[in-house]
Amino acid sequence: MGATFSSSTSYLQYKNDFELVIRATKDLEHLLETGFGAPSDKQTGLHDKITHAQNTAGLSKDTVKKLRYLVTVRNKLVHDYGFNKLDDRDHFARSYDSVEKELQEKLKGKSDGACIMS
């Protein structure tokens, strides 16, 4: 997968809304698959991967809502012929930042609580 950026400033470097949205959601999908064990098969959509992480990691309702917003915007941009521009790039990037922060904190909590046997 591509490089992961963790700040809206990094994502806002992309002037094209398509690139901004696709890169952010690809990174999100990768994080859900590799960090939370969401299915990585091509038949499982991002909404299903969010549900998996919600059920296994106890994500907050706010984070799940933002995740679904990000994925819905991605789907509209890719599939709706007349939707070609983000209404609010800053809001999209801030939503991504907030989600990425909670997901990283959950992953850190998983590793901090790990039991290591020698």
Side-chain angles (χ1 to χ4, degrees):
M1 286 287 150
T4 301
F5 303 97
S6 62
S7 74
S8 59
T9 304
S10 295
Y11 275 109
L12 289 174
Q13 73 179 315
Y14 303 113
K15 302 300 180 204
N16 180 308
D17 288 349
F18 284 88
E19 187 172 15
L20 166 67
V21 170
I22 298 302
R23 285 183 182 268
T25 55
K26 279 179 72 172
D27 286 345
L28 218 120
E29 184 169 22
H30 181 71
L31 186 58
L32 290 171
E33 290 172 357
T34 60
F36 295 90
S40 60
D41 61 276
K42 299 301 176 194
Q43 289 73 38
T44 304
L46 271 167
H47 283 290
D48 294 326
K49 294 174 186 193
I50 293 166
T51 300
H52 175 86
Q54 178 182 18
N55 292 337
T56 60
L59 302 178
S60 72
K61 288 182 181 182
D62 184 55
T63 292
V64 171
K65 183 178 178 180
K66 287 178 185 173
L67 279 165
R68 295 202 186 282
Y69 159 75
L70 294 169
V71 173
T72 299
V73 168
R74 178 239 175 242
N75 289 346
K76 283 180 70 175
L77 199 61
V78 170
H79 299 293
D80 290 0
Y81 182 78
F83 189 82
N84 295 304
K85 184 178 183 308
L86 290 172
D87 294 330
D88 187 342
R89 290 173 59 85
D90 289 334
H91 176 69
F92 183 89
R94 283 192 314 272
S95 294
Y96 176 84
D97 281 347
S98 171
V99 161
E100 195 252 356
K101 181 180 177 185
E102 181 172 339
L103 294 178
Q104 293 294 350
E105 287 172 0
K106 291 283 185 187
L107 288 176
K108 185 178 181 309
K110 282 172 59 174
S111 66
D112 288 347
C115 177
I116 300 173
M117 307 213 25
S118 55

